[in-house]
Amino acid sequence: MLLTINLRDKRPIYKQIVGGIKDMVLSGELKPDEQIPSVRQLATDMNINPNTIAKAYAELERSDILYSAAGRGFFVNPDLAKAYRAKEEEVKKTLILCVESAKKCGIKKERIIEIIEEIYDRDGSQAETEP
């Protein structure tokens, strides 16, 4: 599992780890019921304090992205409906800000739709992953 941390990012390291793993799960890079590295292993691989990894894993478990099996570790939750809804809401909030800004600049609705379609179709290799 390849995660990158940006030391210039204003977000705490554990939040960057949460975001990276969440993106990997929602994109299908990590499969349902797939085991992820242990806290200790990921901490060693990334040269990060294990408490930071544990905090990230705990947040991912609370968000229903991961589940833990006693004595076995953490796994990707096969039921990601809640995670998809949360991500969709996050994207919707961002789009609201963008559309409001575009409207203030006088960009017509049709042009906004064209722009979104251009961006969405830019990389045809990304298929919808939601069931």
Side-chain angles (χ1 to χ4, degrees):
M1 184 167 74
L2 180 63
L3 287 171
T4 56
I5 299 303
N6 181 351
L7 298 176
R8 294 181 183 198
D9 193 324
K10 291 182 177 21
R11 294 177 299 158
I13 291 173
Y14 87 94
K15 286 283 192 187
Q16 292 182 52
I17 293 167
V18 167
I21 292 174
K22 190 181 290 188
D23 288 346
M24 292 170 78
V25 169
L26 294 177
S27 72
E29 189 175 335
L30 292 174
K31 306 292 182 215
D33 292 316
E34 181 178 340
Q35 186 170 13
I36 64 170
S38 69
V39 168
R40 185 175 297 165
Q41 182 62 54
L42 190 57
T44 301
D45 292 349
M46 297 183 73
N47 198 26
I48 293 175
N49 186 310
N51 293 333
T52 302
I53 305 297
K55 187 174 183 178
Y57 281 12
E59 184 169 320
L60 287 162
E61 189 171 24
R62 280 191 303 275
S63 302
D64 290 333
I65 302 289
L66 300 179
Y67 68 91
S68 60
R72 294 186 48 225
F74 286 89
F75 299 81
V76 175
N77 189 343
D79 181 11
L80 296 171
K82 181 179 175 184
Y84 282 115
R85 285 191 305 272
K87 187 64 173 182
E88 186 176 308
E89 279 303 310
E90 182 183 317
V91 169
K92 184 177 177 180
K93 287 177 184 177
T94 302
L95 284 173
I96 288 169
L97 294 173
C98 292
V99 170
E100 287 174 351
S101 176
K103 285 170 66 174
K104 286 178 184 174
C105 293
I107 300 173
K108 301 283 185 206
K109 177 181 172 181
E110 294 76 18
R111 180 61 186 139
I112 294 170
I113 293 169
E114 287 174 11
I115 293 168
I116 290 172
E117 287 175 345
E118 288 169 14
I119 294 168
Y120 198 85
D121 294 339
R122 191 178 295 163
D123 182 7
S125 66
Q126 289 185 329
E128 290 186 32
T129 55
E130 183 177 4

